Amino acid sequence: MDVTPTPTEPVLLPEPKRLGALARLAPEPMKVVLNWGRRYSLWVFNFGLACCAIEFIAASMARHDFIRLGVIPFAPGPRQADLMVVSGTVTDKMAPAVKRLYEQMPEPKYVISFGACSNCGGPYWDSYSVTKGVDQIIPVDVYVPGCPPRPEALLQGILKLQEKIARESLEERYGTVRPSAAALQSGLVQPPAPKGDPR
């Protein structure tokens, strides 16, 4: 009985995912460097709506000092912010403002829901005017429980968000779906039709 080994074909491993046009220069290290920079330079847009906002302010003061984690509080406006911290009761009347300001933030952007009221409505969940969680209107990355939550809980939430940022791939997050021109123009006001046009 002949037991000669049969030649096997070489196994081709899948090519690692690369980052956009810079793939030929620095494929994997570029992802690590970009995530590192994004992780330790989070400008915070605080959307303080109730008593949890006081706990947010306490977390930014000298005793807890979340600036040492690379988190810069009180961005001048949503266009300079990377992270929105929604702290407090989101009412149905305030929900459009939260959504509008979230949409004005540049990508990539992150959201921390801070406290029971922004997580699920808190003690006011049964009220006719309270939104049952900020995740009903914008996507949330990290939930921080408590009523009111301690500043240490916000520090833990920031650390969890930084771990998530370190693992993320922008190619997977943004590179798969490219919006069409019609989708980009859908919310724009159309110019008036020229005179004589039968539209």
Side-chain angles (χ1 to χ4, degrees):
M1 180 172 193
D2 187 19
V3 195
T4 57
T6 58
T8 59
E9 294 184 16
V11 178
L12 297 175
L13 297 174
E15 190 173 337
K17 291 193 174 183
R18 303 189 185 283
L19 187 66
L22 297 176
R24 58 190 168 76
L25 301 176
E28 281 304 310
M30 184 58 74
K31 174 183 153 189
V32 172
V33 168
L34 289 175
N35 285 351
W36 177 84
R38 202 172 294 115
R39 179 181 180 183
Y40 292 117
S41 62
L42 291 169
W43 280 81
V44 179
F45 185 67
N46 182 25
F47 211 96
L49 297 168
C51 46
C52 292
I54 305 301
E55 300 297 325
F56 173 88
I57 293 168
S60 67
M61 294 294 118
R63 181 172 185 175
H64 300 286
D65 188 27
F66 61 44
I67 297 175
R68 65 194 159 95
L69 300 176
V71 178
I72 301 104
F74 312 117
R79 285 180 173 79
Q80 289 81 30
D82 306 301
L83 169 62
M84 177 185 275
V85 178
V86 181
S87 50
T89 313
V90 181
T91 60
D92 292 342
K93 192 171 184 178
M94 185 57 76
V98 174
K99 184 172 174 55
R100 186 180 318 118
L101 290 169
Y102 172 78
E103 288 171 351
Q104 289 178 3
M105 292 170 61
E107 292 285 352
K109 53 192 170 185
Y110 310 97
V111 176
I112 292 180
S113 177
F114 185 54
C117 287
S118 61
N119 288 347
C120 62
Y124 315 109
W125 67 272
D126 202 19
S127 172
Y128 69 95
S129 63
V130 172
T131 303
K132 309 303 185 267
V134 75
D135 56 359
Q136 302 288 317
I137 51 173
I138 58 175
V140 174
D141 295 291
V142 175
Y143 296 87
V144 177
C147 183
R150 297 276 305 150
E152 292 90 346
L154 179 58
L155 296 179
Q156 181 68 22
I158 289 169
L159 291 174
K160 291 293 181 191
L161 178 64
Q162 288 177 334
E163 290 172 12
K164 182 177 181 179
I165 293 170
R167 290 190 310 265
E168 82 178 347
S169 166
L170 291 183
E171 186 177 8
E172 291 173 4
R173 184 170 178 172
Y174 302 110
T176 55
V177 179
R178 296 185 185 258
S180 64
L184 291 173
Q185 296 174 354
S186 64
L188 301 177
V189 176
Q190 297 299 322
K195 293 181 183 176
D197 193 359
R199 273 195 278 170

